[in-house]
Amino acid sequence: MNAEMRIFDFLDYQLSKFPKSDMLASKVNGVWEPLSNAEVKKTIDLLSAGLLKLGVSGNDMTVENQDKIAIISRNRPEWVMLDLACQQIGACLCPIYPTTNVNELEFIFNDASIKYVFISGQDILDKVNIIRNKIPSLLNIYSFDALEGVDYWKKIIQPVQASNLEQLVEIRKQILPEHCATIIYTSGTTGTPKGVMLSHRNIVTNVINARNSFPFDDNPSRKALSFLPLNHIFERLVTYIYITSGNSIYYAESLDTVGENIREVKPNLFSTVPRLLEKVYEKIMDKGSELRGVKRKLFDWAIGLGNEYDNLKSRGIWYRLQLAIANKIIFNKWRAALGNNVELIITGGAACQVRLLRIFNAAQIPIYEGYGPTENSPVISVNCRKKGGTKYGTVGLVIEGQEVKLEADGEICVKGPSVMMGYYKRPDLTAETIIDGWLHTGDIGVFEDGKYLKITDRKKELFKTSGGKYVAPQPIENRMKESPFVEQMMVVGAEQKFVGALIVPSITNLKEWMQHKGIKFTTIEDAVHHPKVLDLYKELIESFNQFFNHVEQVKKFELLPHEWTIDSGELTPTLKLKRKVIMEKYKSAIERIYSN
């Protein structure tokens, strides 16, 4: 592989090096159906030819003149096939999250002048139909599922002629590494979506550099499970890494079936976000809390050992012996729940709690945390598999091909071949974000031990108290979320006298605590106002406040009865807090914090 490849060349690379019967697989009518890479290649070429027949083109390959194709679909083989089919005819794929609201959807469609859209599911079709008449550029909707009132996607393939396939061969030759491959609209936590333009070179170099740095080794017998949305560049990048490494990709049916699909597929690797790891850990702890007697003591003993695990420090032969026993009698069940084959899990998108990294790695479930924004295609750094390549609490080593510098205020800036082409139709924003070739990420960080990058906060999330002191909310939130009683948390206090917090309790653990204390549980709404529950959280916050400077310590809080979700609008599709939305939605709760 080399930097002059185009993304669609990855498939030819796999075909020549790893011919296989299960390149991609999904569940159809309850049965896993694999597709060989030869079948995938044939379908992609037919789809490309069919799109050419519809008049889709890259014209002169300038971004303005490239036709834009949208996709709004759950992960499935057709997603990747459409992606590569668009790339090899010079069209730009614009992936959109299925959870995107209709107002943002309308903006994206008109901003990108979407020509065709591919969807899955009646719910998404209904959403697109609401805005259809407001999108002058939209010529048709195609569905990956057979739905009434919309064309099935294979209709494009059926009338393909030999001349279209011949045309495809010629067009493929004209596509250069610097041509735009995709425009990804970032929902962000505030403001209007921005279209990040990424070229073939941007993504290809990131794939090669991430592969070499991690490193990923070639292994055609390895299976990956894909469930993070392909709309996000993180999952899309690892998909290309899987393809170039010869790995098979199995698509989970949904986020709700991930556990079941893991047990069926028994994957060797997958990527995830910290929130899902937290959910897995909470389930394990819930089951552990049901144990009694010797079994409970053994469970708690193993958890204690896991919490002390440190890959960079030897804790001596007695600790290693105990951990080996814990792995045989306790942690083996954790590995079994993940199919018993997991070699590595990659996490990104948000900070992962250090205690989770310690305990899962102690349980021989290796988790590697990485970092990078969409604007860098995306990887800047990753904890690596080589000796000394991982440090918990950091996002690891800067990968090959990237230069990183920290500004005076700690902002992380990166330069290299993976830095985006710019924001679509927004040269003003591009000029603000890329200065002298350096991408300003908006993230604040430090280097630990001179080499491990650590994210400390978002530049725009720093706030100033009325006393003029700056507060970084993320370290406070991440530390306090280590408590089993805290499900979610957001620190507040801009222009206020002190720091406050909105806290969503862990309902399961709170219920168990109340039962243990002889407090009757009726509803969560009643529980979050119970005096003894409030006392519990006061004590908890005081215990964590010792880790922070006086100005950073949480003085007052409000317990909230409902979890924040994507559907209810408080989280982005990558499960980050929409701080402005939460502050507006819980305005009265924040006012109560500062009422006295």
Side-chain angles (χ1 to χ4, degrees), residues 316-467:
I317 191 167
W318 175 235
Y319 174 81
R320 293 198 300 273
L321 179 61
Q322 289 184 89
L323 188 58
I325 296 168
N327 265 296
K328 282 204 168 189
I329 63 174
I330 302 295
F331 294 141
N332 63 328
K333 298 177 183 68
W334 296 26
R335 296 191 295 275
L338 293 174
N340 261 334
N341 287 332
V342 172
E343 297 171 27
L344 63 98
I345 298 169
I346 303 167
T347 182
C352 188
Q353 294 178 35
V354 173
R355 65 175 180 144
L356 295 186
L357 294 169
R358 290 191 192 286
I359 203 159
F360 277 110
N361 280 281
Q364 298 176 4
I365 301 168
I367 298 176
Y368 299 92
E369 187 173 9
Y371 157 73
T374 304
E375 288 86 346
N376 195 59
S377 310
V379 183
I380 290 176
S381 65
V382 67
N383 281 284
C384 300
R385 298 168 79 188
K386 56 195 176 192
K387 187 176 181 181
T390 290
K391 184 175 184 183
Y392 305 142
T394 77
V395 289
L397 306 173
V398 175
I399 67 168
E400 291 179 15
Q402 313 285 304
E403 288 182 71
V404 170
K405 70 174 182 179
L406 303 180
E407 293 284 62
D409 62 359
E411 183 178 11
I412 299 165
C413 299
V414 62
K415 181 188 277 190
S418 302
V419 171
M420 68 172 176
M421 300 169 69
Y423 293 113
Y424 186 57
K425 293 183 179 176
R426 294 301 306 269
D428 55 331
L429 280 180
T430 303
E432 287 174 18
T433 309
I434 303 175
I435 302 169
D436 296 329
W438 289 95
L439 172 69
H440 289 242
T441 65
D443 292 310
I444 304 294
V446 295
F447 278 106
E448 289 197 351
D449 301 335
K451 59 180 179 177
Y452 303 103
L453 186 60
K454 180 182 177 73
I455 313 299
T456 57
D457 222 286
R458 282 289 295 167
K459 190 171 180 176
K460 290 180 181 176
E461 289 172 5
L462 292 170
F463 63 79
K464 194 190 286 185
T465 64
S466 59

Side-chain angles (χ1 to χ4, degrees), residues 111-211:
D111 191 61
S113 300
I114 296 297
K115 197 166 187 177
Y116 294 100
V117 57
F118 290 73
I119 60 101
S120 68
Q122 186 66 46
D123 56 334
I124 297 173
L125 176 60
D126 292 343
K127 197 185 287 189
V128 174
N129 277 333
I130 291 171
I131 64 164
R132 187 172 190 173
N133 294 332
K134 300 177 183 178
I135 316 298
S137 60
L138 187 60
L139 299 181
N140 203 1
I141 303 169
Y142 291 96
S143 174
F144 292 133
D145 304 307
L147 301 172
E148 284 188 26
V150 65
D151 286 333
Y152 186 50
W153 75 285
K154 286 194 174 176
K155 183 179 179 182
I156 299 172
I157 290 174
Q158 288 160 358
V160 165
Q161 297 170 352
S163 59
N164 300 127
L165 289 167
E166 290 166 8
Q167 185 186 7
L168 169 62
V169 173
E170 292 307 309
I171 289 173
R172 275 176 57 107
K173 294 175 185 174
Q174 298 169 27
I175 296 170
L176 302 175
E178 59 263 29
H179 288 148
C180 186
T182 188
I183 299 176
I184 301 172
Y185 281 84
T186 57
S187 61
T189 52
T190 59
T192 305
K194 298 174 292 187
V196 177
M197 300 182 291
L198 298 177
S199 68
H200 289 271
R201 181 175 283 119
N202 288 155
I203 295 173
V204 167
T205 54
N206 207 255
V207 168
I208 293 171
N209 290 331
R211 259 182 58 104

Side-chain angles (χ1 to χ4, degrees), residues 89-100:
I89 59 170
C92 272
L93 189 74
C94 300
I96 302 171
Y97 284 99
T99 52
T100 302

Side-chain angles (χ1 to χ4, degrees), residues 570-596:
E570 299 94 352
L571 301 182
T572 71
T574 52
L575 305 180
K576 294 187 181 79
L577 298 180
K578 288 187 175 180
R579 294 180 187 269
K580 284 195 174 180
V581 171
I582 293 170
M583 289 191 70
E584 186 59 36
K585 200 166 185 177
Y586 296 94
K587 192 175 181 180
S588 58
I590 295 170
E591 286 173 354
R592 285 193 294 273
I593 289 174
Y594 296 104
S595 61
N596 297 323

